[in-house]
Amino acid sequence: VLLDRLRDAVGRLNPSIPADTREEAIRRVLASETPSLVEENRRLHQYLVEGVPVEFYDNGNMRGDRVRLIDFGGLGGFDQNDWLAVNQFTVIEQGHNRRPDVVLFVNGLPLGVLELKNPGDENATLSGAFNQLQTYKAQIPSLFRTNVVLVTSDGIKARAGSLTADEERFMPWRTIKNENDKPLLEWQLETMVRGFFDRELLLDYIRFFILFETDGEQIIKKI
């Protein structure tokens, strides 16, 4: 988490909530409540969509509110979110030093991880990129606590999947804006970046197109 960016965004999005209450909400985002990455992801996804529930005194009365982490109100126009894509972002955790190819941050929270293989390398495959993401999840799991999408690419083809998806569930993204603009010669990575990662669509996706189901003791994240 890029704490300064998160703190700035929380202050910008929640001006009517006291500063100490905003800090408490940030602490709840940063602190893990369960050792399970998927359970943490489900808890934090609810915070992303609904805000962090808080209570504070206002004119002597205790009142409840929610600290917003993302501005969904700017859809279709200006939004107050802080957008950042970082190439070769270094994460050091549990003795492992890893550099995912691209990490997408919104308000300092890492929401997307893209693993891109070099198209000039004959060993660069979608499977290789998928396996690399599984290694990252095992070795630097804190990067994925707020994750909303994983992307694999061999430089030409590209696939998107959820935190719990197996390789067969990673799928291409077909359009930029609508069904009529599917390119005849598809460079899937560019379509993914320009289409799926369009800011307005990505916010819509986060808010309405992610759900968690429980199959026995296993949590499945569907997108």
Side-chain angles (χ1 to χ4, degrees):
V1 173
L2 304 180
L3 188 54
D4 289 343
R5 288 175 180 262
L6 175 60
R7 187 171 282 127
D8 288 348
V10 166
R12 190 167 59 249
L13 299 181
N14 305 275
S16 64
I17 295 179
D20 58 343
T21 304
R22 298 198 301 261
E23 280 297 313
E24 176 59 29
I26 290 173
R27 282 194 292 271
R28 290 176 61 186
V29 170
L30 298 178
S32 295
E33 291 188 1
T34 166
S36 166
L37 174 59
V38 181
E39 287 185 24
E40 276 293 284
N41 189 258
R42 178 167 63 176
R43 177 179 73 91
L44 292 172
H45 181 74
Q46 189 169 11
Y47 286 173
L48 290 178
V49 174
E50 301 177 4
V52 183
V54 293
E55 291 184 332
F56 55 91
Y57 281 101
D58 182 21
N59 293 325
N61 298 313
M62 180 67 75
R63 56 169 285 202
D65 207 335
R66 289 185 179 267
V67 172
R68 293 193 299 153
L69 303 177
I70 295 180
D71 172 27
F72 292 107
L75 293 176
F78 174 77
D79 71 68
Q80 299 186 73
N81 297 305
D82 174 83
W83 299 84
L84 181 70
V86 182
N87 184 33
Q88 299 291 311
F89 183 77
T90 300
V91 180
I92 301 173
E93 183 176 355
Q94 301 173 353
H96 301 289
N97 186 322
R98 296 299 182 195
R99 293 183 188 84
D101 288 320
V102 179
V103 178
L104 171 67
F105 292 89
V106 179
N107 298 338
L109 298 170
L111 301 190
V113 178
L114 293 77
E115 187 63 19
L116 314 174
K117 295 304 181 184
N118 185 347
D121 181 356
E122 64 182 22
N123 296 316
T125 63
L126 291 172
S127 291
F130 174 83
N131 291 335
Q132 189 69 61
L133 287 175
Q134 306 315 301
T135 298
Y136 292 156
K137 282 165 52 179
Q139 295 183 348
I140 50 172
S142 63
L143 181 65
F144 299 90
R145 294 174 66 245
T146 55
N147 183 269
V148 300
V149 67
L150 303 174
V151 172
T152 61
S153 177
D154 62 3
I156 305 296
K157 297 189 290 291
R159 301 285 186 271
S162 81
L163 188 66
T164 64
D166 57 26
E167 189 176 357
E168 290 70 32
R169 293 287 183 183
F170 275 63
M171 299 292 179
W173 186 261
R174 299 294 190 187
T175 65
I176 304 296
K177 283 293 184 185
N178 57 61
E179 286 296 311
N180 298 322
D181 65 15
K182 292 180 182 177
L184 294 176
L185 295 173
E186 187 173 29
W187 188 26
Q188 293 179 353
L189 181 56
E190 182 179 13
T191 302
M192 179 82 71
V193 170
R194 293 177 59 205
F196 181 84
F197 285 100
D198 172 81
R199 294 181 185 187
E200 186 175 344
L201 186 140
L202 187 64
L203 291 175
D204 209 41
Y205 156 79
I206 293 169
R207 198 176 188 185
F208 299 118
F209 294 94
I210 297 174
L211 62 87
F212 293 82
E213 292 183 352
T214 303
D215 180 13
E217 297 183 353
Q218 183 181 20
I219 300 172
I220 300 169
K221 184 175 186 179
K222 295 186 175 181
I223 65 175

